[in-house]
């Protein structure tokens, strides 16, 4: 006998299904759009780092660091510290250039060996760069003073901790957890990049409210010293919760926010290119 009840419920079930399918797609495309913009922006940063620092250092050695705006970039006779700065800059290219590649699913599935080796190299460089960064901060200082020292050192601790957790889950073959911690690692390791594009986006759009350019201090800089990695981490958690949730409104809201964030990120990248990186050449 035909189950009329079931047939009557079918269109409703299909409608609900198509609505939650749409919400899932909005979230997915929103995340991919934000990621594509971010990857482009990070690769532009790598091009800047290599094009600006490589000819300087290869041509003039450690001493050339003194011509840059890095605080205490070159200290005569301090070979370990000077080496830490050079290492920090060159390893940055692997981190900022390689990080986005690790998150592209097509690369992971088509070239698993490449993914594994780049993953190992990424973890090794991210930890080494953070240790070199800690050495630079506590021996030579940092733009932004004491608060920035604490904020960026906390970032270094988060980077090293998240790297260890991501590797632990990879070794235990818990791929779901590995991916989540790898995403968190990507966010904190991108702090330096978020800092620069966020600061320039703020300066371009507000004229620099809360920033004293002479002393490099002020309320916005205090907020952004921690915001550079805490804000991306909070947004990532919102995205992961929306992804796990069965609530289609949560997915739609997060997906929509990601489109807006992609636009904001693109604007900030433009501001950093025009205000920070291009003027160096
Ligand atoms: C792991 C990811 C990191 C990458 C990819 C990275 C990359 C870079 C790059 C490319 C620069 C030169 C920037 C420019 O010319 O505008 C730089 C500067 C600097 N980095 Fe890092 N860095 C990272 C993490 C850290 C950490 C964790 C610390 C400190 C604990 C740190 C401390 C510094 C300092 C002190 C400078 C000098 C300029 C300034 O005061 O901002 N970095 N970094």
């Amino acid at each position: 006998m035909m189950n009329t009840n079931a047939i009557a419920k079918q269109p409703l079930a299909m409608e609900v299904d198509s609505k939650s399918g749409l919400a899932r797609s909005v979230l997915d495309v929103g995340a991919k759009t934000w990621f594509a913009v971010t990857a482009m922006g990070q690769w532009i940063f790598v091009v800047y780092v290599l094009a600006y620092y490589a000819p300087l250092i290869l041509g003039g050695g450690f001493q050339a660091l003194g011509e840059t705006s890095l605080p205490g970039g070159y200290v005569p006779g301090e070979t370990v510290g000077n080496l830490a700065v050079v290492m920090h800059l060159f390893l940055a290219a692997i981190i900022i250039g390689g990080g986005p590649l690790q998150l592209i699913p097509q690369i992971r599935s088509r070239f698993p060996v490449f993914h594994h080796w780049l993953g190992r190299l990424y973890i090794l460089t991210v930890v080494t760069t953070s240790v070199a960064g800690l050495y630079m901060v506590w021996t030579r200082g940092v733009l932004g003073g004491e608060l920035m020292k604490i904020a960026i050192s906390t970032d270094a601790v988060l980077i090293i901790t998240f790297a260890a957790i991501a590797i632990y889950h990879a070794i235990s073959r818990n791929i779901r957890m590995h991916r989540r911690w790898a995403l968190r690692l990507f966010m904190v390791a991108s702090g330096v990049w978020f800092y620069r594009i966020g600061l320039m986006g703020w300066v371009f759009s507000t004229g620099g409210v809360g920033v004293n350019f002479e002393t490099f201090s002020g309320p916005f800089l205090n907020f952004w010293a921690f915001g550079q990695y805490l804000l991306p981490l909070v947004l990532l958690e919102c995205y992961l919760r929306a992804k796990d949730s069965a609530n289609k409104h949560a997915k739609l809201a997060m997906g929509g926010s990601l489109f807006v964030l992609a636009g904001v990120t693109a604007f900030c990248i433009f501001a950093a290119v025009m205000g920070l990186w291009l003027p160096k050449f």
Side-chain angles (χ1 to χ4, degrees), residues 30-229:
K32 283 184 176 145
T33 309
W34 178 80
F35 175 72
V37 170
T38 299
M40 289 298 162
Q42 297 211 342
W43 289 330
I44 293 174
F45 187 44
V46 173
V47 171
Y48 150 73
V49 170
L50 292 179
Y52 176 61
Y53 289 107
L56 257 178
I57 296 168
L58 296 178
F62 287 159
Q63 255 165 302
L65 290 168
E67 297 164 28
T68 67
S69 56
L70 297 175
Y74 172 68
V75 179
E78 237 260 49
T79 313
V80 176
N82 295 331
L83 195 65
V85 178
V86 171
M87 246 172 51
H88 189 83
L89 293 172
F90 285 126
L91 294 185
I94 298 175
I95 297 164
I96 303 278
L101 289 180
Q102 286 299 87
L103 302 183
I104 298 174
Q106 288 82 353
I107 294 186
R108 279 204 305 268
S109 55
R110 280 198 205 170
F111 309 103
V113 176
F114 174 75
H115 176 74
H116 291 161
W117 279 104
L118 183 59
R120 288 176 186 127
L121 187 64
Y122 183 86
I123 298 277
L124 188 71
T125 48
V126 97
V127 171
T128 314
T129 305
S130 299
V131 172
L134 280 172
Y135 187 86
M136 285 157 67
V137 165
W138 293 99
T139 58
R140 302 188 168 193
V142 64
L143 283 174
E146 290 306 306
L147 196 75
M148 185 60 172
K149 275 188 181 174
I150 295 167
I152 192 79
S153 300
T154 309
D155 190 29
V157 172
L158 290 179
I159 291 172
I160 295 167
T161 311
F162 291 3
I165 301 176
I167 252 199
Y168 167 78
H169 287 304
I171 291 169
S172 337
R173 291 277 170 266
N174 186 342
I175 299 307
R176 183 171 179 273
M177 290 304 281
H178 167 65
R179 278 195 193 146
R180 293 199 161 205
W181 283 100
L183 282 174
R184 291 180 185 125
L185 173 61
F186 175 74
M187 291 302 182
V188 289
S190 301
V192 279
W193 180 78
F194 285 125
Y195 187 80
R196 282 158 178 81
I197 66 152
L199 173 60
M200 293 318 290
W202 178 258
V203 171
F204 264 50
S205 52
T206 67
V209 174
V211 182
N212 181 330
F213 292 98
E214 267 155 41
T215 56
F216 205 68
S217 62
F220 177 76
L221 291 177
N222 295 344
F223 156 75
W224 197 230
F226 292 92
Q228 60 176 313
Y229 50 90

